[in-house]
């Protein structure tokens, strides 16, 4: 072979090898660039998963039946919408139980629906790449390129931890089948085109400079395509920023909606309160007057609930402001106590307030907010209590007011005690739950206590009941304190009650030296000449109370009745009535005792 021929063959071979290398290198470069862009988007999508699903979702989703079909369907739709907005193929999470992977949430695609392979809650994934299993114990996000029954995907596996410390993995997929094929096609296209050019220019090897110029033009085309891809990536980034801005705007709209709706609800409630007050101004029987008062108190509770929604919107916007003013402490406490008359009457519970001897007679406080904290705590305590009652203890020292709300209810499970102050949190979120509520009360109460330079905490909770406590800055106005009721030394009061709450309260308020407890009505009858006043708790059956008709006329009988409860027929006109909840003003009114406080 002559030298020119050998040079021609060598030039062709070098050219072919060079083109193959260039095409393959271009393929690798393009693939790496695409993967970097895809990985960044995958990371953003997977990071958002914990914000989309409920915070405690992965604490609950630990068994096959932990999540209802309705909630799973809701999660499917929610994640599908998010996946479309982020241009993802799949966004999902999974946990590992007994060495097996189970999906806890996922979205679906139209192809999944057509093929009948939509991933629902607790679908297993035994064929997953080993990295899916390794991710459960990893400390950094892991990237995987692998194929399965759904296709070829680029995947991010992000190890995460639930609020209670349980591990799970948040993942996002992007189908790269089309991208991979497109890159291969581009590589083959470049190689084929270059091969065709080689055959064309082979006879014209002497015009090497023209071939070199053609290759430069091809490379410039590739660079232009690369620049277009970069511009497209910038467009996608800008769209993501716009989507984030839209989400923030939606959150602002939600807060505005809550505020507007709450204002709309308050108007008819205030109308009910107004008409109720007009009704109170008309002639009513004692029983009717009591019922109308219940309706008014219930409307006030409903108004407080609506105000909680307003407060939530204000807290989110950092717009909650305190307005302290001087207030009569005892009147405020008794007003709050009366609000729960119908509730304790319906459930046959007791509610008492223990006021420490150092409690100022007048304090400077935001009445609405302070009352809101106490109402929320008492309402929660009564809601979860079916036997016994609730005791509220108030004390004051160095401009610091402390309060404890103790109930004899069902208690709070240890696993839930760290979450009860979260907004919209409810102990029982099932459809069959028996306790209503919005999940706002404790969260708002905690925020109010923080605004008052204090704190609200769960002090204790078990099967015997719960104790919530708070401590806030509340200055005293003046030096006067609320004194306990002072009774005559000649007064001898007996009481008979099955309620520890009422017994403790009476002993504290009247002084144990002036009162004598009785364990039964029979014991009262046997010792009736030894007391001048007798207080009997009507939680005892009517049949048990009938022998009280035998009491001496010299003994003043008083029955503790729940709102709506009637005096037994045989005792009518023979007894005075004290309506629960027990108030210090009742002691002054019914026992003709004197009070040190003017």
């Amino acid at each position: 072979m002559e030298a020119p021929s050998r040079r021609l063959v060598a030039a062709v071979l070098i050219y072919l090898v060079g083109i193959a290398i260039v095409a393959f290198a271009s393929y690798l470069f393009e693939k790496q660039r695409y993967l970097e862009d895809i990985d960044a988007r995958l990371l953003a999508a997977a990071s958002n998963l914990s914000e989309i699903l409920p915070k405690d979702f992965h604490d609950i989703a630990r068994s096959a039946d932990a999540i209802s079909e309705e909630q799973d369907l809701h999660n499917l739709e929610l994640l599908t919408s998010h996946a479309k907005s982020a241009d993802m193929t799949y966004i999902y999470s999974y946990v590992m139980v007994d060495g097996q992977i189970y999906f806890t949430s996922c979205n679906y695609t139209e192809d999944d629906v057509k093929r009948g392979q939509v991933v629902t809650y607790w679908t297993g994934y035994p064929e997953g790449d080993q990295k899916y299993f390794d991710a459960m114990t990893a400390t950094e996000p892991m990237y995987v390129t692998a194929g399965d029954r759904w296709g070829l995907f680029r995947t991010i596996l992000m190890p995460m931890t639930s609020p209670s410390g349980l591990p799970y993995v948040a993942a996002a997929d992007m189908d790269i089948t089309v991208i991979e094929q497109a890159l291969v096609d581009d590589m083959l296209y470049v190689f084929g085109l270059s091969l065709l050019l080689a055959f064309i220019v082979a006879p014209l090897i002497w015009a090497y400079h023209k071939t070199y110029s053609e290759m430069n033009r091809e490379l410039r085309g590739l660079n232009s395509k690369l620049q277009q891809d970069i511009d497209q990536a910038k467009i996608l980034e800008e769209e993501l920023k716009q989507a984030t801005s839209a989400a923030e705007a939606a959150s602002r709209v939600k807060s505005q909606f809550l505020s507007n709706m709450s204002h709309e609800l308050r108007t008819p409630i205030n109308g009910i309160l107004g008409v109720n007050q007009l009704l109170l101004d008309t002639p009513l029987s004692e029983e009717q007057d009591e019922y109308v008062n219940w309706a008014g108190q219930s409307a006030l509770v409903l108004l407080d609930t609506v105000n909680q929604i307003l407060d939530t919107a204000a807290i989110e916007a950092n717009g909650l402001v305190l307005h302290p003013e001087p207030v009569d402490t005892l009147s405020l406490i008794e007003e709050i106590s009366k609000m729960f008359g119908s509730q304790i009457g319906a459930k046959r519970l007791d509610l008492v307030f223990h006021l420490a001897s150092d409690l100022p007679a007048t304090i400077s406080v935001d009445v609405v907010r302070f009352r809101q904290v106490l109402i929320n705590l008492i309402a929660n305590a009564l809601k979860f209590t079916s036997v016994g009652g609730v005791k509220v203890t108030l004390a004051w020292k160095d401009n610091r007011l402390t309060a404890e709300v103790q109930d004899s209810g069902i208690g709070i499970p240890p696993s839930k005690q760290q979450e009860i102050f979260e907004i919209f949190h409810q102990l029982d979120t099932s459809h069959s739950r028996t306790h209503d509520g919005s999940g706002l009360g404790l969260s708002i109460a905690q925020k109010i206590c923080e605004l008052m330079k204090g704190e609200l905490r769960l002090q204790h909770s078990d099967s015997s009941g719960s104790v919530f406590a708070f401590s806030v800055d509340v200055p005293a106005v003046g030096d006067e304190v609320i004194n306990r009721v002072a009774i005559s030394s000649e007064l001898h009061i007996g009481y008979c009650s099955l309620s520890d709450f009422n017994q403790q309260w009476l002993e504290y308020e009247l002084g144990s030296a002036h009162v004598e407890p009785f364990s039964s009505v029979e014991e009262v009858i046997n010792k009736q000449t030894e007391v001048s006043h007798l207080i009997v708790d009507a939680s005892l059956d009517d049949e048990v109370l009938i022998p009280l008709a035998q009491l001496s006329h010299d003994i003043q009988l008083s029955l503790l009745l729940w709102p709506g409860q009637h005096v037994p027929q045989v005792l009518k006109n023979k007894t005075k009535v004290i309506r629960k909840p027990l108030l210090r003003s009742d002691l002054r009114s019914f026992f003709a005792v004197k009070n040190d406080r003017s």
Side-chain angles (χ1 to χ4, degrees):
M1 185 180 291
E2 296 181 356
S5 298
R6 289 197 299 270
R7 286 196 297 272
L8 177 60
V9 172
V12 170
L13 291 176
I14 292 173
Y15 176 80
L16 293 176
V17 172
I19 290 301
I21 294 173
V22 170
F24 186 70
S26 176
Y27 162 78
L28 293 178
F29 176 78
E30 284 292 298
K31 182 176 181 179
Q32 180 62 30
R33 188 184 63 79
Y34 270 106
L35 288 180
E36 290 176 356
D37 178 57
I38 290 171
D39 289 350
R41 292 163 60 191
L42 290 172
L43 179 63
S47 299
N48 287 334
L49 182 66
S50 61
E51 301 296 326
I52 300 171
L53 297 174
K55 289 187 177 180
D56 63 344
F57 177 79
H58 291 97
D59 287 329
I60 300 172
R62 295 286 162 173
S63 63
D65 56 353
I67 301 300
S68 67
E69 183 176 351
E70 290 82 3
Q71 183 172 353
D72 186 38
L73 180 60
H74 174 72
N75 292 345
L76 278 171
E77 297 297 336
L78 194 65
L79 292 180
T80 298
S81 175
H82 188 73
K84 289 180 179 179
S85 65
D87 201 21
M88 294 289 110
T89 305
Y90 292 104
I91 299 176
Y92 55 94
S93 65
Y94 64 84
V95 298
M96 192 161 66
V97 178
D98 296 331
Q100 295 296 321
I101 288 175
Y102 295 97
F103 291 106
T104 53
S105 63
C106 188
N107 62 291
Y108 63 84
T109 66
E110 294 180 1
D111 289 337
D112 291 338
V113 177
K114 293 177 182 178
R115 294 194 295 263
Q117 60 179 27
V118 174
V119 175
T120 58
Y121 175 73
W122 215 250
T123 298
Y125 191 39
E127 72 271 30
D129 186 276
Q130 180 59 38
K131 287 187 177 181
Y132 280 79
F133 295 84
D134 297 340
M136 290 299 301
T137 56
T139 58
E140 297 291 336
M142 301 175 66
Y143 294 90
V144 183
T145 300
D148 56 18
R149 51 181 153 165
W150 289 279
L152 179 65
F153 298 96
R154 179 66 172 177
T155 304
I156 182 173
L157 304 173
M158 179 176 293
M160 302 188 78
T161 303
S162 69
S164 64
L166 299 175
Y168 69 96
V169 174
D173 289 347
M174 182 172 284
D175 192 340
I176 62 172
T177 305
V178 176
I179 297 174
E180 184 74 14
Q181 187 60 48
L183 290 174
V184 173
D185 290 344
D186 285 348
M187 180 184 69
L188 295 177
Y189 171 79
V190 171
F191 185 78
L193 180 61
S194 300
L195 184 61
L196 179 60
L197 289 175
F199 282 105
I200 293 174
V201 301
L204 306 173
I205 194 64
W206 56 271
Y208 176 75
H209 63 283
K210 294 184 66 177
T211 303
Y212 180 79
S213 298
E214 185 67 23
M215 290 179 63
N216 281 339
R217 284 194 294 272
E218 290 292 329
L219 289 175
R220 283 195 296 271
L222 290 174
N223 286 334
S224 176
K225 187 175 183 298
L226 178 61
Q227 185 59 48
Q228 291 176 2
D229 292 338
I230 293 174
D231 293 341
Q232 183 64 28
K234 291 181 179 179
I235 293 173
L236 291 174
E237 181 181 2
E238 183 62 29
E239 290 176 349
L240 182 59
K241 291 180 179 178
Q242 293 175 359
T244 302
S245 177
E248 293 173 350
S251 178
R252 291 192 295 270
V253 170
K254 179 208 71 174
S255 296
Q256 185 62 42
F257 171 78
L258 286 175
S259 179
N260 291 342
M261 282 302 299
S262 299
H263 281 293
E264 293 297 325
L265 288 171
R266 286 201 300 182
T267 300
I269 296 174
N270 284 323
I272 294 171
L273 287 170
V275 173
N276 202 71
Q277 186 59 48
L278 292 175
L279 186 58
L280 284 172
D281 294 335
T282 63
L284 299 172
S285 67
E286 180 179 350
E287 185 175 2
Q288 289 172 330
D289 184 79
E290 186 175 348
Y291 291 159
V292 173
N293 272 294
W294 291 352
Q297 297 301 331
S298 297
L300 285 173
V301 172
L302 179 58
L303 183 60
D304 279 339
T305 301
V306 174
N307 286 334
Q308 285 181 2
I309 301 175
L310 274 174
D311 292 341
T312 301
I315 288 171
E316 289 183 353
N318 295 320
L320 197 62
V321 179
L322 298 178
H323 301 284
E325 58 180 312
V327 60
D328 184 281
T329 309
L330 185 60
S331 297
L332 174 61
I333 297 304
E334 294 197 344
E335 173 192 345
I336 293 173
S337 181
K338 291 176 182 178
M339 291 180 64
F340 294 97
S342 60
Q343 190 170 347
I344 66 172
K347 299 184 72 172
R348 292 298 190 258
L349 300 175
D350 290 304
L351 172 63
V352 295
F353 281 77
H354 284 257
L355 308 181
S357 59
D358 56 2
L359 195 63
T362 306
I363 56 176
S364 178
V365 69
D366 187 317
V367 178
V368 174
R369 302 306 174 193
F370 180 75
R371 181 169 53 212
Q372 189 173 4
V373 173
L374 269 181
I375 288 175
N376 277 324
L377 294 178
I378 296 172
N380 268 353
L382 292 173
K383 181 193 305 183
F384 295 101
T385 300
S386 58
V387 177
V390 175
K391 180 175 73 173
V392 182
T393 304
L394 295 172
W396 184 91
K397 184 178 181 181
D398 298 332
N399 289 333
R400 195 79 174 169
L401 188 145
T402 58
E404 289 186 358
V405 179
Q406 176 186 356
D407 64 64
S408 57
I410 59 177
I412 302 171
S415 61
K416 300 290 185 181
Q417 293 181 9
Q418 298 299 321
E419 307 168 10
I420 56 175
F421 293 105
E422 296 178 5
I423 190 169
F424 295 116
H425 174 81
Q426 295 170 328
L427 286 181
D428 183 3
T429 58
S430 66
H431 294 291
S432 60
R433 62 193 177 98
T434 58
H435 302 102
D436 296 329
S438 63
L440 295 172
L442 286 178
S443 174
I444 293 174
Q446 186 181 56
K447 292 294 184 182
I448 293 174
C449 288
E450 291 174 357
L451 281 173
M452 298 175 73
K453 299 180 181 178
E455 62 173 350
L456 169 63
R457 65 189 183 280
L458 173 60
Q459 188 163 290
H460 169 77
S461 185
D462 57 25
S463 59
S464 64
S466 302
V467 179
F468 282 85
F470 67 87
S471 176
V472 293
D473 278 356
V474 176
V477 179
D479 299 326
E480 188 178 3
V481 298
I482 303 176
N483 293 320
R484 284 184 293 176
V485 175
I487 66 175
S488 171
S489 59
E490 299 176 356
L491 194 62
H492 188 191
I493 301 173
Y495 68 88
C496 182
S497 173
L498 298 179
S499 169
D500 292 337
F501 289 96
N502 291 336
Q503 288 185 9
Q504 293 171 6
W505 187 83
L506 287 170
E507 289 177 351
Y508 177 79
E509 293 292 335
L510 298 176
S512 58
H514 298 283
V515 296
E516 178 181 358
F518 291 94
S519 59
S520 66
V521 170
E522 288 76 11
E523 186 181 358
V524 172
I525 300 301
N526 295 333
K527 295 184 178 181
Q528 58 179 299
T529 57
E530 300 180 13
V531 297
S532 56
H533 287 72
L534 178 64
I535 304 172
V536 178
D537 192 339
S539 58
L540 301 169
D541 294 337
D542 285 357
E543 294 182 359
V544 178
L545 299 176
I546 290 176
L548 292 174
Q550 306 172 23
L551 287 175
S552 169
H553 294 293
D554 296 330
I555 298 177
Q556 174 61 60
L557 174 64
S558 298
L559 290 183
L560 301 181
L561 300 179
W562 280 290
Q565 187 179 8
H566 301 290
V567 177
Q569 187 66 32
V570 70
L571 294 178
K572 283 190 175 181
N573 302 321
K574 296 183 178 182
T575 181
K576 292 183 178 180
V577 174
I578 303 176
R579 293 292 180 185
K580 299 181 181 183
L582 297 176
L583 304 174
R584 191 172 283 184
S585 57
D586 291 332
L587 298 182
R588 294 195 299 268
S589 174
F590 284 93
F591 298 106
V593 295
K594 62 181 181 179
N595 194 324
D596 288 343
R597 181 184 169 199
S598 59

